[in-house]
Amino acid sequence: MKVNGTHYRTVWMENHTVQMIEQNRLPFTFSTVALATHTATAEAISNMTVRGAGAIGAAAGFAMAQGFFEQQGSPALPHAAKTTILATRPTAQNLFYAVEKVWAAGVKGGADAAVAEANFLADADADASRCIGEFGGALIADHANILTHCNAGWLAFVDYGTALSPIYHAHAAGKSPRVWVDETRPRGQGARLTAWELSQAGIACDIIADNAAAHFMARGEVDLIIVGADRIAANGDTANKIGTLERAICANHFNIPFYIAAPIATIDANCSNGNAIPIEERSADEVLWQQGIDQQGQNHTIRVAAEGVSARNPAFDVTPATLITGIITEQGIIAASDAGKTATHGSRSS
Amino acid sequence: MKVNGTHYRTVWMENHTVQMIEQNRLPFTFSTVALATHTATAEAISNMTVRGAGAIGAAAGFAMAQGFFEQQGSPALPHAAKTTILATRPTAQNLFYAVEKVWAAGVKGGADAAVAEANFLADADADASRCIGEFGGALIADHANILTHCNAGWLAFVDYGTALSPIYHAHAAGKSPRVWVDETRPRGQGARLTAWELSQAGIACDIIADNAAAHFMARGEVDLIIVGADRIAANGDTANKIGTLERAICANHFNIPFYIAAPIATIDANCSNGNAIPIEERSADEVLWQQGIDQQGQNHTIRVAAEGVSARNPAFDVTPATLITGIITEQGIIAASDAGKTATHGSRSS
């Protein structure tokens, strides 16, 4: 997608260096960082310089390829690199998928084959997101009010995104969708990233506190909900950003269609149901402190909670397949209960 | 309740001056302010120096009494004051209830009678909250995990509170309740005020992002939900802080008891159902900006959202009576559908 007129991907590789948009500085500063080693790339995944299921997967694939480049004189390095990269984030299936694919390519064909595979996977992610936009775009009526949670836009993938891709597609087709953007505490990916993406693209949107979603549903002001996914179990249970489960329960209560948008690479066919998906618990500080800029543009990190009180910070929750209207994939819209079957029979391009 | 060993009410009157805890500075600074005129007291209600249904009601009653004191040489002043005070906040029933009561007393008996009525109402609010604690405390098993939203503690009333009063009562009775404190964006009354109150009282609690409530419900870690109310319609539909509706829908989904705790003064028998309750929409800036202190204790207001993007900020939502297990009042726990009947037959002490 374009930023100030220039086309960017979220993450890409130049020679042996991984380049990525510095997402922790968005929306206040747009910048990119260059990461010369697999260690630096892995750290960027951990500290969420890059975040979002597909972008994490692509970055992890590139990091694994870096591990093969760094192998010279140190035959054990790719394996150590693999261990390091797999330990960066526990929930997003795309990470494990990409690392295993690039690992297999590197073991068979060396560093160049690993890079080729990592690039193939990044291209496949962008292609899948584009196709998701086409299939999902058909669900969006003109002037539809769509609610989304967190950021599953192009910043969360290599390009286009998943939950936002149908909205971009509808907008490009001349429709006028309007988007409710859940703030998505504690990290605020909705208010910071989704709102930034949509406003860059000229799409009408309003940020709301996460608490306000059901209110607008109750008033008939939400026609459709589309969110992304970090991992989809074989039975269709879906792990996504904390708060997704609440929106799904409310959508069900109000009979509002609730769609997951995700590439087939997000489906973990080896995971039978949502109980088996590991849920990352992140630092309490993400709840207790907030970072942003003051009116003079100065950056501050401030405490927004009483002192001496603890917090719990699960980063994801699991929405049961029964609450999901359908999963928008690059091969079409499938029933959540068909997730495992679709992944097993999925084409190479997934 | 006690702050650093000294007993405080949230709002009280000394001579012609209204005294109140400055809640906008909590939890970082504990201070009180003295308001010499009805105009100043009304402004303190508007800008949320005092907030919470019962505390707003008491402050409005005192402000109305101030209007009668300021009458000398200006016979029309009490009526003008009444108009000003009624316009401060639209949703909390307690405000309208208190202003009408004090108005009637002042018209009949002058300024001293108005003050006496305002003090009577403040005492009645504290008494009602204490009784709510006794009735609600019986619902709390030892080691129960209770979720609450926003602040319906003593800071939201004259003393004791409503949703937190049963928890204080259970704790005083030797039980060990544990509380999940919803952050309650956008203003963070849970993270700032409820967490502060509970930690002052030595009650175990954890702050969670509003998004995490359903996750802990799904895991069986929430036994009971108690929240306050700003206005209860005759049919039991209840307006409370934005996000309450989401928690009620999720509680219903997971079969978790969902209680409203409120004095009978919160019931608006003239309001047939929730559709008739006016919902305040506050400034978008409350969503887009956050205020707090940095590690050096310096206060900052920071932007936490993309620039140039709008926000919507409804301050309350309406939970239908069908989702409410019961209403804990000072006269006992009633069915939500009996709200109107209870208010109509309620005793003078309510």
Side-chain angles (χ1 to χ4, degrees), chain A residues 27-28 149 178 180 182-186 188 191-193 195-196 199 205-219 221 242-247 249-250 252-254 277 279 281 287-295 298-314 316-318 320 323, chain B residues 27-28 149 178 180 182-186 188 191-193 195-196 199 205-219 221 242-247 249-250 252-254 277 279 281 287-295 298-314 316-318 320 323:
Chain A
F28 310 117
H149 189 67
R178 206 169 141 276
W180 295 112
D182 279 355
E183 177 184 26
T184 318
R185 281 282 288 148
R192 292 167 190 263
L193 304 180
W196 181 81
S199 65
C205 64
D206 283 290
I207 299 168
I208 55 172
D210 301 298
N211 281 320
H215 173 75
F216 290 109
M217 292 187 212
R219 300 210 155 192
E221 297 185 50
I242 191 77
T244 301
L245 172 59
E246 293 218 14
R247 303 310 174 284
I249 293 169
C250 292
N252 190 253
H253 181 82
F254 292 112
I277 302 176
I279 298 297
E281 177 130 1
V287 176
L288 302 173
W289 298 81
Q290 278 266 269
Q291 173 268 328
I293 57 167
D294 66 19
Q295 284 198 303
Q298 291 289 310
N299 196 76
H300 301 283
T301 300
I302 58 170
R303 191 170 183 93
V304 292
E307 291 168 288
V309 181
S310 56
R312 290 285 301 278
N313 185 20
F316 303 93
D317 56 27
V318 175
L323 296 176
Chain B
F28 310 118
H149 188 67
R178 205 168 144 277
W180 296 112
D182 279 356
E183 177 185 25
T184 319
R185 283 281 289 147
R192 292 168 190 262
L193 303 180
W196 181 81
S199 64
C205 65
D206 284 290
I207 299 166
I208 55 172
D210 301 298
N211 281 320
H215 172 75
F216 289 109
M217 292 188 212
R219 300 209 155 192
E221 296 185 50
I242 191 78
T244 301
L245 172 59
E246 293 218 15
R247 303 310 174 283
I249 292 168
C250 292
N252 190 252
H253 181 82
F254 291 114
I277 302 176
I279 298 297
E281 177 130 2
V287 176
L288 302 173
W289 298 80
Q290 278 266 269
Q291 173 268 328
I293 56 168
D294 66 18
Q295 283 197 303
Q298 291 288 311
N299 196 76
H300 300 283
T301 299
I302 58 170
R303 191 171 182 94
V304 293
E307 290 168 288
V309 181
S310 56
R312 289 285 302 276
N313 185 20
F316 303 93
D317 57 27
V318 175
L323 297 176

Side-chain angles (χ1 to χ4, degrees), chain A residues 2-46:
Chain A
K2 288 188 173 178
V3 180
N4 304 323
T6 303
H7 181 266
Y8 282 90
R9 284 186 165 190
T10 305
V11 54
W12 67 98
M13 202 167 187
E14 288 177 13
N15 300 317
H16 302 181
T17 299
V18 177
Q19 305 272 348
M20 58 177 67
I21 294 172
E22 167 49 288
Q23 298 199 37
N24 281 323
R25 301 185 68 188
L26 285 175
F28 310 117
T29 305
F30 179 82
S31 59
T32 62
V33 289
L35 306 157
T37 65
H38 83 273
T39 316
T41 307
E43 171 61 20
I45 297 171
S46 285

Side-chain angles (χ1 to χ4, degrees), chain B residues 232-237 267-274 336-341:
Chain B
I232 301 172
N235 75 339
D237 292 351
I267 301 170
D268 181 359
N270 297 320
C271 177
S272 62
N273 65 68
S337 56
D338 287 339
K341 194 172 67 182

